Amino acid sequence: MARVRIRLARSSDCRALAEMRYRFRAETASVTETKSRFMRRCTSWMRKRFRSGSRPWRCWVADDGKRLLGHVCVQLIEKIPNPVNEPEFHAYLTNFYVVPEMRDHGLGKRLLNKALSWCRARGTDAVILWPSPANKSFYRRCGFVAPSGIFELRHGALRPRSRRQAKA
């Protein structure tokens, strides 16, 4: 295997990152947007958020010198200041992907360790993510646990109420 380095994403990586994002989501769900439209939209979104020194987003890539082999993204979520000794950031880990032919070679673990090291250096309170069913055991091996103190309201529960329901 060629030497693979983990580095921060650059603006020039955004098209390849958008391509991998498309591939990643198409593996697990039915695509509802044309690839060309998605690529334009996603590449633009990433260029704005992954530029050098940007905050609150960071994206690391695995690069073998010829192409990107994987990536992981983290968004810092600022908490309201509090008067107790508790960190004031959460980290949202997302868009974690390794190309299929490079899986099971330790590359995902290297990417995750880089992201978690960055989170620790910023003193995050918690790192959250939504794993795919296939990746739950990987995250458990890395120390993640299912939360016990969190509630979730999914978008399906946020349907607009009729005027009649709103008055009730």
Side-chain angles (χ1 to χ4, degrees):
M1 177 167 44
R3 180 167 145 66
V4 176
R5 72 180 182 142
I6 309 297
R7 61 170 174 78
L8 280 173
R10 300 185 281 249
S11 182
S12 59
D13 297 322
C14 290
R15 178 131 179 100
L17 286 167
E19 177 77 38
M20 284 195 291
R21 174 71 178 166
Y22 185 86
R23 196 171 162 187
F24 167 55
R25 295 302 292 163
E27 283 180 10
T28 59
S30 182
V31 174
T32 59
E33 183 176 13
T34 66
K35 185 174 182 182
S36 61
R37 184 169 190 270
F38 173 81
M39 291 296 295
R40 283 189 306 275
R41 188 168 64 87
C42 189
T43 300
S44 174
W45 186 95
M46 289 177 168
R47 279 199 177 112
K48 290 175 188 166
R49 287 160 183 86
F50 298 163
R51 65 184 181 273
S52 181
S54 176
R55 207 170 157 186
W57 284 96
R58 284 288 188 281
C59 179
W60 292 269
V61 298
D63 179 355
D64 72 355
K66 296 178 186 146
R67 66 182 183 130
L68 300 185
L69 303 171
H71 59 318
V72 63
C73 302
V74 174
Q75 180 187 27
L76 283 183
I77 303 166
E78 189 174 12
K79 294 168 58 178
I80 295 174
N82 65 72
V84 299
N85 186 21
E86 180 179 292
E88 294 183 354
F89 287 99
H90 290 301
Y92 167 50
L93 192 136
T94 188
N95 203 41
F96 188 6
Y97 182 78
V98 174
V99 296
E101 60 273 19
M102 292 302 296
R103 293 176 187 164
D104 300 319
H105 294 288
L107 192 53
K109 181 78 168 153
R110 286 179 59 199
L111 280 162
L112 182 62
N113 285 341
K114 188 69 158 179
L116 294 178
S117 174
W118 184 80
C119 292
R120 272 191 295 281
R122 269 124 203 97
T124 57
D125 189 26
V127 177
I128 58 172
L129 58 86
W130 280 263
S132 68
N135 292 324
K136 286 183 179 183
S137 64
F138 169 77
Y139 290 116
R140 283 188 189 105
R141 287 192 311 271
C142 294
F144 285 80
V145 296
S148 59
I150 190 169
F151 287 91
E152 175 183 61
L153 180 64
R154 299 300 292 207
H155 63 81
L158 295 175
R159 289 191 175 89
R161 299 186 311 173
S162 70
R163 286 192 176 153
R164 177 179 236 157
Q165 289 173 317
K167 289 180 183 178

